[in-house]
Amino acid sequence: MAKGILRAKAKAKGGNTVVKIMAKHDMETGNRKDKSGNKIPANYIQTLSVAYNGKTVMESNMGTAISKNPYLSFTFVGGAKGDELQMTWTEITGATATETAKIK
Amino acid sequence: MKIIKSLLMGASLAMVASAASVSYAATSGNTLATVDPEADRLALQSYFQKRFPKVQVEDYVNGIYALDAPSREQWQDIEEFPPYEFDIEEGEELFNEAFANGKSYADCFANGGIGIRQNFPRWDEAQGQVVTLELAINQCREANNEKALGWKKGKIAKISAYMAFTSRDNVFDVQIPNDDAKAAYLDGKQSFYTRRGQLNMSCANCHVAGANILIRADLPGPTLGQVTHFPVFRSKWGELGTLQRRYGGCQKNVRGEPQKTQGDKFRNLEFFQTYMSNGLVVNGPGSRK
Amino acid sequence: MMNRRSVLKAVFTGGLVAGFGVLMPRVALAAWSKAAFEASSQEMAMGALYDADPSASAEVTLKAPDIAENGAVVPISVKSGLAGVTSIAIFVENNPQPLAAQFTIPEGTLANVSCRIRMGKTSSITAVVTTATGSFSASKEVKVTIGGCGG
């Protein structure tokens, strides 16, 4: 399976699942300039949503103030070891993908 | 012993310009005949233990975060999921990728290159020089008709990160088998204590006496354990970089001409610094500001 | 103040949902709000997301360093003991675009998020937590310094 841009650490603990996700992405703000002085076009992840058992457990909307290699951590009630999470991201370019991660 | 004590105390006072390079945190001398690496190493540990009595020696592998609580908290948050994890992944792929001739890095290193980070840098008798891990990586490439990688970042840093990661918790034990190696150690020690640049500062000014003391907006890390957590993902770089990338950067920070990456001076300096961290464990790659 | 809010509401229409009621926190909407994210002032960004200024509340906990080690990567976390939290948003007042992130919290997800933000300079950070009864905030100043041997 091709590796996506998301890495997730999801752990079932005490009836909850703690999720940590980091995306491999420069989160280009559009404010930086290259060596010739031209602005590097903005390209950042705008949305990252996470679903479990067909239900959305988190939707994050992001802007240029999110650090490179965007990181997100949250906890939802439920989830069990071995189950899967569906994580969908979209970029301002329109690029989008859904990646999966297993709960440990 | 009394003389040594006052030298150590003097080291914790404000940095004062001194004429010649003085090894004020070392008990031993500045010549091949008088230098005693073990005495230097123990004196350095003793210096930091006296200055920071609550910090365990083994914690120094975390650098400034062993000493400063507010930055440690931020670092711990980053360590929840550090960006260098991507580099370790890529480093593993690069490490396992065969050369055009079918061989790979595993053929150049003991134990297939896994869990051996603590053996570098080492004195190579045949070559008559100190061999750092990055030098060994590029020597492996050239021996197999591959082009050498850039020294400071990118692929070499990722491979180095992967190799460090497989060696985490292994203990550094740099050996000085003969006088030639001792001369390299001495050269590194002299570099460490020599002032340079417009700002006329030595490594020791910031990383011994100046450790955990604000210099403008930065807190220099203690030299004890400093090399153990490289390569580093520096937030400032936004990427991974090697130890010698930082050496050059530091020299520029004191407004001096940076010495040659992986040249004799830097390799001897790394040899000296790593010897001083003998007994501590491999902790790379690391995250830093 | 009411006049300004209604002017803002009229101007920033991108992101409205059909059937939107005046009293309902607009943040029930999950779509990425161009108006909010591209606003160049905190006031405009908040105006695009909320009907009324959020009120400071001890029930919102914002964890952020006093002095950021590096403005490019500042770890932040927000949590709240309030019931029925539907959204958490983070604003960096002095950033060119103050809205950093907006998290929609579905039922069954805890009101507790962590992320890493970029700060251009010393700024007040405000976390806003939205429930059915309104929006509540906590703020903290985070210093960003440059210069030193790290460059």
Side-chain angles (χ1 to χ4, degrees):
Chain A
M1 190 170 74
K3 232 186 287 188
I5 66 167
L6 301 179
R7 302 288 179 272
K9 294 178 184 178
K11 200 160 174 159
K13 203 164 89 162
N16 292 343
T17 298
V18 179
V19 184
K20 298 177 194 174
I21 301 175
M22 185 165 64
K24 190 174 198 309
H25 203 286
D26 283 345
M27 298 296 276
E28 206 58 73
T29 63
N31 296 323
R32 279 205 316 151
K33 292 192 177 146
D34 63 20
K35 293 203 170 135
S36 328
N38 305 312
K39 273 205 173 162
I40 302 171
N43 185 8
Y44 53 91
I45 295 179
Q46 281 186 304
T47 68
L48 173 61
S49 65
V50 185
Y52 171 73
N53 262 354
K55 175 183 179 284
T56 302
V57 290
M58 166 57 63
E59 275 213 39
S60 67
N61 291 325
M62 296 179 266
T64 56
I66 294 295
S67 299
K68 173 176 166 170
N69 297 326
Y71 169 77
L72 166 64
S73 175
F74 65 95
T75 304
F76 68 91
V77 177
K81 185 171 168 174
D83 289 349
E84 254 186 19
L85 293 173
Q86 314 287 319
M87 309 172 290
T88 305
W89 56 266
T90 61
E91 246 183 16
I92 61 168
T93 59
T96 179
T98 299
E99 303 178 21
T100 58
K102 274 207 156 59
I103 300 175
K104 296 211 169 128
Chain B
M1 280 299 140
K2 279 187 198 149
I3 299 165
I4 296 151
K5 222 183 191 170
S6 61
L7 279 174
L8 288 174
M9 299 279 257
S12 62
L13 292 175
M15 302 170 248
V16 188
S18 62
S21 59
V22 173
S23 35
Y24 48 71
T27 58
S28 79
N30 234 1
T31 67
L32 197 56
T34 58
V35 73
D36 180 347
E38 260 308 279
D40 290 342
R41 183 182 76 85
L42 294 171
L44 186 73
Q45 286 198 8
S46 171
Y47 169 81
F48 280 110
Q49 278 174 312
K50 286 197 176 74
R51 246 185 93 187
F52 305 103
K54 296 198 179 126
V55 181
Q56 305 298 313
V57 167
E58 29 309 348
D59 291 341
Y60 281 86
V61 297
N62 292 321
I64 190 59
Y65 306 125
L67 308 179
D68 178 70
S71 57
R72 176 166 60 246
E73 243 193 273
Q74 294 175 61
W75 168 71
Q76 281 171 337
D77 282 342
I78 307 271
E79 283 290 298
E80 289 283 314
F81 213 146
Y84 61 65
E85 288 199 19
F86 293 130
D87 298 300
I88 294 172
E89 249 185 61
E90 282 172 60
E92 184 174 5
E93 284 168 20
L94 290 165
F95 182 82
N96 290 329
E97 211 180 285
F99 303 134
N101 66 6
K103 295 217 159 148
S104 67
Y105 295 105
D107 295 308
C108 296
F109 291 94
N111 201 36
I114 302 300
I116 49 118
R117 176 65 186 85
Q118 67 283 359
N119 299 333
F120 292 90
R122 57 178 179 77
W123 175 257
D124 189 305
E125 190 54 35
Q127 294 184 39
Q129 62 177 1
V130 168
V131 174
T132 58
L133 177 63
E134 286 80 12
L135 180 60
I137 288 169
N138 269 344
Q139 285 181 341
C140 179
R141 293 181 64 83
E142 287 177 334
N144 286 287
N145 293 315
E146 297 284 333
K147 233 178 94 178
L149 297 169
W151 292 121
K152 298 184 192 173
K153 53 179 171 166
K155 291 183 177 175
I156 208 168
K158 294 173 200 222
I159 293 169
S160 178
Y162 170 67
M163 293 177 81
F165 189 71
T166 66
S167 315
R168 271 201 180 168
D169 295 340
N170 291 350
V171 180
F172 277 103
D173 187 25
V174 171
Q175 299 294 309
I176 299 178
N178 54 35
D179 275 354
D180 289 336
K182 206 187 227 185
Y185 169 90
L186 179 60
D187 185 56
K189 175 178 173 179
Q190 285 168 340
S191 285
F192 188 81
Y193 288 101
T194 300
R195 292 173 181 274
R196 59 188 314 110
Q198 264 192 335
L199 298 185
N200 200 35
M201 297 172 75
S202 68
C203 311
N205 286 148
C206 282
H207 297 293
V208 179
N212 203 39
I213 294 175
L214 275 173
I215 175 164
R216 292 178 72 200
D218 281 322
L219 281 176
T223 190
L224 178 61
Q226 207 165 30
V227 301
T228 65
H229 58 74
F230 276 82
V232 279
F233 190 107
R234 270 183 106 214
S235 295
K236 176 156 195 292
W237 292 331
E239 62 181 358
L240 199 70
T242 58
L243 173 64
Q244 296 200 10
R245 174 177 180 181
R246 191 67 198 110
Y247 278 174
C250 265
Q251 291 190 331
K252 283 195 256 182
N253 287 149
V254 298
R255 304 208 195 114
E257 205 46 65
Q259 290 172 309
K260 186 159 173 265
T261 317
Q262 295 294 336
D264 282 335
K265 289 292 177 189
F266 274 8
R267 277 181 289 110
N268 292 341
L269 177 59
E270 187 175 330
F271 191 57
F272 163 75
Q273 273 206 295
T274 311
Y275 186 92
M276 297 306 255
S277 293
N278 270 356
L280 296 174
V281 301
V282 178
N283 196 29
S287 302
R288 286 295 178 275
K289 66 181 292 186
Chain C
M1 299 304 108
M2 279 302 287
N3 285 339
R4 195 178 49 181
R5 285 267 160 240
S6 35
V7 166
L8 287 171
K9 256 200 284 185
V11 171
F12 296 108
T13 53
L16 277 178
V17 177
F20 171 78
V22 167
L23 293 176
M24 210 160 70
R26 196 181 311 181
V27 182
L29 169 73
W32 193 85
S33 166
K34 193 177 160 75
F37 277 105
E38 292 185 357
S40 53
S41 79
Q42 183 163 289
E43 217 176 352
M44 288 187 3
M46 286 195 180
L49 288 184
Y50 313 113
D51 285 327
D53 287 333
S55 36
S57 163
E59 300 283 342
V60 177
T61 307
L62 166 62
K63 181 179 169 220
D66 294 337
I67 303 175
E69 243 213 322
N70 187 305
V73 189
V74 186
I76 301 283
S77 58
V78 182
K79 64 180 182 188
S80 176
L82 292 168
V85 170
T86 54
S87 163
I88 297 178
I90 296 171
F91 298 84
V92 183
E93 187 167 23
N94 292 339
N95 267 11
Q97 286 91 41
L99 176 58
Q102 182 266 317
F103 306 100
T104 300
I105 313 286
E107 209 181 305
T109 296
L110 272 50
N112 188 347
V113 295
S114 299
C115 62
R116 295 169 191 162
I117 61 172
R118 285 173 162 139
M119 294 180 65
K121 54 185 184 174
T122 296
S123 175
S124 172
I125 303 215
T126 300
V128 179
V129 167
T130 303
T131 68
T133 50
S135 294
F136 306 93
S137 67
S139 295
K140 175 173 182 174
E141 186 181 75
V142 175
K143 287 194 179 42
V144 174
T145 58
I146 42 168
C149 52

